[in-house]
Amino acid sequence: MPLLVMKFGGTSVADLDRIENAARKVKREVERGYDVIVIVSAMSGKTNELVGWVEATSPLYDAREYDAVVASGENVTAGLMALRLQEMDVPARSWQGWQVPINTTSAHGAARFVSIPRDNIDQKFAEGFKVAVVAGFQGLSHEGRVTTLGRGGSDTTAVAFAAAFGAERCDIYTDVDGVYTTDPRISSKARKLDRIAFEEMLELASLGAKVLQTRSVELAMRYNVRLRVLSSFEDTDENSGTLVSGEEEIMESKVVSGVAYSRDEAKITLFTIEDRPGVASAIFGTLADAGVNVDMIVQNISEKDYDAAHPGAVTDMTFSCPVNQVPRAQKAIEDAMAAGKIQYDELIIDTDVAKVSVVGIGMRSHAGVAARMFAALSAENINIKVISTSEIKISVLIDRKYMELAVQALHDAFELERA
Ligand code: ASP
Ligand code: MG
């Protein structure tokens, strides 16, 4: 039997009517001849409520009990979905994580998969069940305790099952109809992509296109699981949504596939630091110890090259981090300065920047992408403060007030409204 994994997020199972709507989509795939593993999230808002109850009861809670409480949201939806399918004459049963078992590490609240043995579910398919409804987001530690995977983890459960069971595809049903070239709230010309490569999706996901949990895309890439993002609120067929897949399935791609942004960035410069071995390590070691997520890093070229015999060269170091981490970063740097671990003349902090990036696997084989990007920004008189590049991405930091304008200008410049 060919097998499909279908995952329904919180908004897709938010109430009994929506569960029924999702169940109809499952039934249709069964009628097409698939065995189906359904992965469900908790009803929308439920996980937040459960987390709130835990925190109200015990501020320094025992993480094992947190997981016991928070995993329960998915158990409710799994049971209800199985019941609804049975009412539609589809042979279905629910599975909690421990029943499969979904073996994970013991890192409560952030557990990782260890193994998903197929035997129990395969056995039930062999007995005539057509659907296994599995509670997402949860697992079992080797100590026999319930674990959870971290917020948004049901996407990752779905991909892990698709890999373990060799599913033809992993369909992620959500409240949007796919992955877009950019945020449609910023550019009315944003277009839904039919296909996107894993690596592009990873860049877009971590840059703020919050459709899929980043870990799920990493896992899909590692095991080459074809992922499809589609709406549970529309009539869909096998061509709906966006297919996230390996590059080999993407025949021809544009140079740039999407424009991503991240609004709340900050830029921090340590002005006049010594240019010698160990300085960068001291600065970023300090920041790492303080838990600051450093993103872009730029070091100026010094006037003279480093020379151990004649020290004295200086340079400047700039980095970006999320704006809400600035107080922590500032304190760590100032404390390290006071302790003599690092030295600088001045600390300059700019909390009014945003990051805008163009992403595309086509960049690997095309020259001139950066030039085109910078020309589009300059035509709008937008000043670029920091630039960083990777094989498939170019990012710039700009004043936050120009972020929307920059996204629109880049979307136009790379003609993303056209397929
Ligand atoms: N219910 C969990 C959460 O809200 C997991 C998920 O829905 O993916 O984070
Ligand atoms: Mg989600």
Side-chain angles (χ1 to χ4, degrees):
M1 271 295 181
L3 185 132
L4 269 190
V5 170
M6 302 172 75
K7 183 258 173 179
F8 293 94
T11 50
S12 304
V13 292
D15 57 35
L16 297 184
D17 287 340
R18 289 192 181 174
I19 291 176
E20 183 173 351
N21 170 62
R24 271 199 298 272
K25 292 186 179 291
V26 176
K27 177 172 180 162
R28 205 188 47 194
E29 300 294 1
V30 170
E31 286 168 352
R32 284 190 181 138
Y34 287 105
D35 282 345
V36 181
I37 296 178
V38 177
I39 309 291
V40 286
S41 283
M43 293 166 147
S44 67
K46 194 71 205 172
T47 307
N48 288 342
E49 182 182 47
L50 295 170
V51 171
W53 288 349
V54 169
E55 289 172 348
T57 306
S58 173
L60 297 174
Y61 54 76
D62 174 347
R64 291 163 298 197
E65 301 306 343
Y66 167 99
D67 277 355
V69 174
V70 171
S72 70
E74 272 71 11
N75 295 343
V76 174
T77 1
L80 289 171
M81 175 68 80
L83 286 172
R84 177 48 70 199
L85 286 163
Q86 289 172 6
E87 290 294 326
M88 294 173 170
D89 297 321
V90 179
R93 65 155 278 187
S94 68
W95 296 83
Q96 297 184 7
W98 63 273
Q99 295 172 306
V100 175
I102 301 171
N103 298 310
T104 72
T105 61
S106 316
H108 287 276
R112 298 199 156 246
F113 295 109
V114 173
S115 67
I116 303 178
R118 296 177 50 155
D119 320 24
N120 290 336
I121 287 180
D122 276 345
Q123 164 86 34
K124 291 295 162 192
F125 280 137
E127 286 172 20
F129 279 90
K130 301 306 284 171
V131 181
V133 187
V134 179
F137 176 56
Q138 57 175 262
L140 176 72
S141 74
H142 73 267
E143 288 93 356
R145 303 293 304 252
V146 172
T147 56
T148 65
L149 304 175
R151 299 304 305 270
S154 296
D155 291 338
T156 307
T157 306
V159 172
F161 271 78
F165 285 78
E168 193 172 299
R169 216 178 44 238
C170 179
D171 284 344
I172 307 276
Y173 285 88
T174 178
D175 49 9
V176 294
D177 62 353
V179 179
Y180 277 70
T181 50
T182 195
D183 186 340
R185 289 168 303 184
I186 292 188
S187 173
S188 56
K189 297 180 194 161
R191 179 177 54 86
K192 185 177 74 66
L193 292 159
D194 291 333
R195 284 168 182 255
I196 185 169
F198 291 127
E199 285 170 285
E200 294 172 322
M201 189 64 228
L202 271 180
E203 295 291 358
L204 294 172
S206 58
L207 291 172
K210 296 186 183 63
V211 203
L212 290 170
Q213 199 199 32
T214 306
R215 251 174 86 193
S216 71
V217 185
E218 284 165 1
L219 203 64
M221 181 155 105
R222 172 135 34 102
Y223 292 100
N224 208 12
V225 171
R226 303 165 81 231
L227 267 180
R228 194 162 63 130
V229 177
L230 70 174
S231 166
S232 64
F233 304 126
E234 286 174 11
D235 273 339
T236 44
D237 60 30
E238 54 282 353
N239 297 316
S240 303
T242 302
L243 183 71
V244 191
S245 69
E247 269 175 53
E248 63 284 356
E249 275 197 70
I250 298 175
M251 300 304 285
E252 207 171 346
S253 72
K254 309 191 72 163
V255 182
V256 166
S257 300
V259 181
Y261 65 88
S262 154
R263 187 184 302 272
D264 297 311
E265 299 287 318
K267 176 170 76 75
I268 300 183
T269 302
L270 286 81
F271 204 64
T272 318
I273 58 172
E274 280 177 277
D275 185 16
R276 61 163 175 81
V279 171
S281 158
I283 294 171
F284 293 102
T286 298
L287 292 165
D289 291 344
V292 177
N293 298 325
V294 172
D295 179 22
M296 303 159 113
I297 298 176
V298 179
Q299 180 184 305
N300 290 357
I301 303 291
S302 349
E303 267 168 50
K304 32 184 183 173
D305 270 346
Y306 166 70
D307 176 355
H310 304 95
V314 293
T315 184
D316 309 315
M317 187 76 84
T318 299
F319 66 91
S320 68
C321 70
V323 79
N324 61 10
Q325 295 185 357
V326 166
R328 208 189 304 168
Q330 181 172 3
K331 179 165 188 320
I333 293 169
E334 288 173 351
D335 288 354
M337 170 83 161
K341 284 189 209 141
I342 59 179
Q343 271 184 342
Y344 54 85
D345 277 359
E346 206 184 337
L347 190 62
I348 300 166
I349 300 179
D350 181 352
T351 54
D352 289 319
V353 292
K355 180 169 73 168
V356 176
S357 310
V358 297
V359 174
I361 50 173
M363 274 182 215
R364 289 200 191 114
S365 48
H366 282 82
V369 182
R372 198 157 150 197
M373 177 179 194
F374 303 155
L377 295 172
S378 113
E380 299 294 344
N381 234 339
I382 298 170
N383 190 37
I384 301 169
K385 302 188 157 195
V386 176
I387 301 168
S388 77
T389 64
S390 77
E391 216 189 352
I392 65 158
K393 179 178 78 168
I394 304 172
S395 302
V396 295
L397 277 190
I398 57 172
D399 278 333
R400 186 172 302 130
K401 62 179 183 235
Y402 297 128
M403 192 193 81
E404 278 86 356
L405 180 61
V407 169
Q408 290 155 2
L410 294 170
H411 200 272
D412 287 348
F414 289 98
E415 299 178 338
L416 297 184
E417 73 280 7
R418 285 197 274 136

